[in-house]
Amino acid sequence: MRIALIAHDEKKADLIEFAKNRRDDLDHFELIATGTTGQRLIDETGLDVERMQSGPLGGDMQIGARVAEETCDGVVFLRDPLTAQPHEPDITALLRICDVHNIPLATNLASADAVLDELVFELEGEDGKF
Ligand SMILES: O=C(CO)COP(=O)(O)O
């Protein structure tokens, strides 16, 4: 199963903290991330992460394509709700395509834990207990 991890700059520290706290669970998934987020995850958590382009350069769209292909099973996207982003249309498109394909999507820390709990539960069903 594959999970996408994305955070805007103001939320990157929160995502790193989340990934550190949930490292043992995240280790069981294939992880993809937008460029800068992915590099920070690799450097600061040691998780194995496939990096896309940076968000403003198309990374959200690359992750959206994975969702559309149904090769991404969940998205944690810690958006900054207080800062305008130059690539807002791409962000909206990613959120939309998650809804089109009914992919679990968390846009804040509280729901990130809930989404990951659900995906862990599904993975345990597929693979037996970790
Ligand atoms: O802008 C982003 C998501 O919309 C995140 O991109 P980066 O991870 O490259 O900062």
Side-chain angles (χ1 to χ4, degrees), residues 5-9 12 33-39 52-57 59-60 77-79 85 87 90-91 94:
L5 300 171
I6 314 166
H8 287 147
D9 288 349
K12 282 185 172 64
T34 46
T36 318
T37 303
Q39 193 60 58
M52 308 282 124
Q53 296 279 11
S54 184
L57 299 182
D60 301 272
F77 186 176
L78 301 189
R79 292 186 304 150
Q85 304 290 332
H87 54 303
D90 298 5
I91 296 164
L94 174 54

Side-chain angles (χ1 to χ4, degrees), residues 41-99:
L41 284 164
I42 291 165
D43 293 345
E44 296 175 45
T45 72
L47 284 162
D48 193 13
V49 180
E50 182 189 355
R51 291 173 60 229
M52 308 282 124
Q53 296 279 11
S54 184
L57 299 182
D60 301 272
M61 300 185 78
Q62 288 179 291
I63 291 174
R66 299 288 183 96
V67 172
E69 292 163 355
E70 301 200 336
T71 59
C72 180
D73 306 289
V75 176
V76 173
F77 186 176
L78 301 189
R79 292 186 304 150
D80 176 1
L82 301 177
T83 307
Q85 304 290 332
H87 54 303
E88 203 67 54
D90 298 5
I91 296 164
T92 304
L94 174 54
L95 303 180
R96 178 185 169 278
I97 206 69
C98 287
D99 289 343

